[in-house]
Amino acid sequence: MRVGVVGGGLAGALLAWRLRESSDRVRVEVVARDRSRADASEVSGGLVRGFELDPEVGRDAADGLAEVRGDARLREWSGYREIGSSYLVPRGVDPAGSVRVVDERLPGSAEVVGAAELRRRFGYRELRDDAVGVLERHAGHLSPARLRDSALAWAVEHGVHLVRSTARLLDGPALRTSDGVRREYDALVVAAGAWTPGLVDHGGELRAKQIQYGVYRIDLPGLGAFVDDDTGLYGRPWGDGTFLLGLGCDRWDQAPEDVRPDPVLADRVAAEARRRFGVTADVPPPELLVASSDCYRTPPGLRLRPAGPGVFTFTGGSGGAAKTAVAASRIAAGELLTSF
Ligand SMILES: Cc1cc2nc3c(=O)[nH]c(=O)nc-3n(C[C@H](O)[C@H](O)[C@H](O)COP(=O)(O)OP(=O)(O)OC[C@H]3O[C@@H](n4cnc5c(N)ncnc54)[C@H](O)[C@@H]3O)c2cc1C
């Protein structure tokens, strides 16, 4: 069986690794553009936890985290750092079902706490009295770029063919590389992240959206990786007195090449963090401002999806696939191997 994978970001790299590791009868070719333009995996914040409002995404996130924690090679490949995580759930949402998903995979990791505990431990201000948070001990951050590079290097060492080129898709499971060569497969998987909506016919299911964060010099003692789903603020310690902080961004459907940082959003992030955590000191402009884009889908989830005879997409992680890609790539590889 010949499988072609377009894209050597986290999704494509992990899929190639899983396919190669699962079976000797599959020949895998990854067609990946050179690294001159950063992809989402290169700049990703890498926050990982098991708790997700969507239980299906949560299953992948918790499965992946459990696998990384339990596997010395994946810990090394990903540079996983366990610093804990807190998640303030939106008003009116009962987190019990999603906490059970975490409990089954990471026993004892998740704990539900109320407003008083959130104020005391993390310094939340202006918090409603019925606020609910989910704290996870076994969570933190990893490096998607390092995981991508390690998985791809392993795959290539073990026989996966890597072609550094931009792929142009042809009819069916075939593509043309920049040197003019036509390449045919039994299955072609387009794992091109935010570029995917522009490459395949997807019936309006996939859209690219900008994601932006800044690295701010701000004092947020005791706060590890966090998501405040009331305000949309999220972040994690970056190091040396700085914090990665972001807010949702509303820029849809831009070509990934055209994505530029939004300075107004960067200011809003600092203001929101100061207000939310009662920081009285001024916060200087971010020391680093990162803007990139990812492929979104409703409902979200990094999954293998048919996109024509022999053609699939493997994207749609909606800004969260650093968490889910380890588990999702195992599922996708299994589906490909059993369907051919
Ligand atoms: C700023 C930012 C912060 C994030 N933070 C987090 C986080 O904290 N936690 C979390 O879980 N997730 C986070 N994410 C999401 C996560 O990083 C992404 O979902 C994940 O990295 C996507 O991987 P990918 O392989 O699908 O896409 P990419 O990493 O974008 O890879 C796609 C690849 O396809 C290649 N490509 C495109 N077109 C072609 C073509 N025609 N031919 C050949 N190659 C092609 C590109 O060059 C690229 O290398 C973040 C994303 C961004 C952008």
Side-chain angles (χ1 to χ4, degrees), residues 169-237:
L169 302 201
L170 304 174
D171 274 351
L175 56 81
R176 198 176 298 285
T177 39
S178 318
D179 53 7
V181 174
R182 178 186 169 94
R183 299 166 187 270
E184 290 180 9
Y185 310 96
D186 299 304
L188 178 65
V189 182
V190 184
W195 288 269
T196 312
L199 286 175
V200 291
D201 185 7
H202 52 87
E205 266 203 339
L206 303 174
R207 294 179 74 187
K209 187 165 89 139
Q210 178 161 339
I211 304 177
Q212 174 173 321
Y213 65 75
V215 173
Y216 297 82
R217 190 154 291 283
I218 184 170
D219 194 21
L220 299 170
L223 194 61
F226 78 97
V227 174
D228 170 358
D229 223 344
D230 256 359
T231 62
L233 192 68
Y234 61 87
R236 68 165 170 87

Side-chain angles (χ1 to χ4, degrees), residues 31-91:
V31 180
R33 257 202 322 240
D34 66 48
R35 289 276 159 74
S36 53
R37 275 171 294 196
D39 56 17
S41 308
E42 185 67 33
V43 296
S44 175
L47 274 79
V48 290
R49 57 174 184 277
F51 180 82
E52 281 293 322
L53 296 180
D54 181 318
E56 194 180 329
V57 177
R59 267 190 291 279
D60 280 357
D63 272 346
L65 186 50
E67 188 175 350
V68 169
R69 291 187 77 250
D71 181 328
R73 178 178 59 163
L74 278 177
R75 284 201 304 279
E76 160 62 25
W77 279 8
S78 67
Y80 172 62
R81 297 271 317 275
E82 187 153 291
I83 60 167
S85 163
S86 60
Y87 194 119
L88 176 61
V89 301
R91 184 189 289 270

Side-chain angles (χ1 to χ4, degrees), residues 135-287:
L135 312 188
E136 286 173 82
R137 284 173 44 225
H138 303 318
H141 58 92
L142 50 70
S143 165
R146 180 166 154 180
L147 180 55
R148 171 199 65 191
D149 292 349
S150 304
L152 198 54
W154 185 96
V156 168
E157 259 171 46
H158 290 79
V160 167
H161 189 216
L162 174 64
V163 184
R164 281 286 174 205
S165 173
T166 300
R168 201 158 54 77
L169 302 201
L170 304 174
D171 274 351
L175 56 81
R176 198 176 298 285
T177 39
S178 318
D179 53 7
V181 174
R182 178 186 169 94
R183 299 166 187 270
E184 290 180 9
Y185 310 96
D186 299 304
L188 178 65
V189 182
V190 184
W195 288 269
T196 312
L199 286 175
V200 291
D201 185 7
H202 52 87
E205 266 203 339
L206 303 174
R207 294 179 74 187
K209 187 165 89 139
Q210 178 161 339
I211 304 177
Q212 174 173 321
Y213 65 75
V215 173
Y216 297 82
R217 190 154 291 283
I218 184 170
D219 194 21
L220 299 170
L223 194 61
F226 78 97
V227 174
D228 170 358
D229 223 344
D230 256 359
T231 62
L233 192 68
Y234 61 87
R236 68 165 170 87
W238 181 266
D240 188 26
T242 57
F243 226 90
L244 177 162
L245 291 169
L247 271 174
C249 180
D250 236 357
R251 293 185 173 177
W252 288 92
D253 303 322
Q254 281 170 295
E257 283 76 12
D258 294 341
V259 167
R260 299 283 177 277
D262 175 355
V264 177
L265 180 62
D267 289 347
R268 272 184 46 221
V269 168
E272 190 60 53
R274 289 184 69 211
R275 188 188 67 79
R276 200 47 159 162
F277 296 104
V279 175
T280 50
D282 280 345
V283 176
E287 295 180 5

Side-chain angles (χ1 to χ4, degrees), residues 17 28 39 53 80 89 117-118 134 137 145 164 182 198 208 236 264 281 286 294 296 301 309 326 329 335:
W17 160 59
V28 183
D39 56 17
L53 296 180
Y80 172 62
V89 301
E117 190 76 355
L118 290 167
V134 176
R137 284 173 44 225
R164 281 286 174 205
R182 178 186 169 94
R236 68 165 170 87
V264 177
D294 199 15
Y296 279 66
V326 166
S329 58
E335 287 170 353

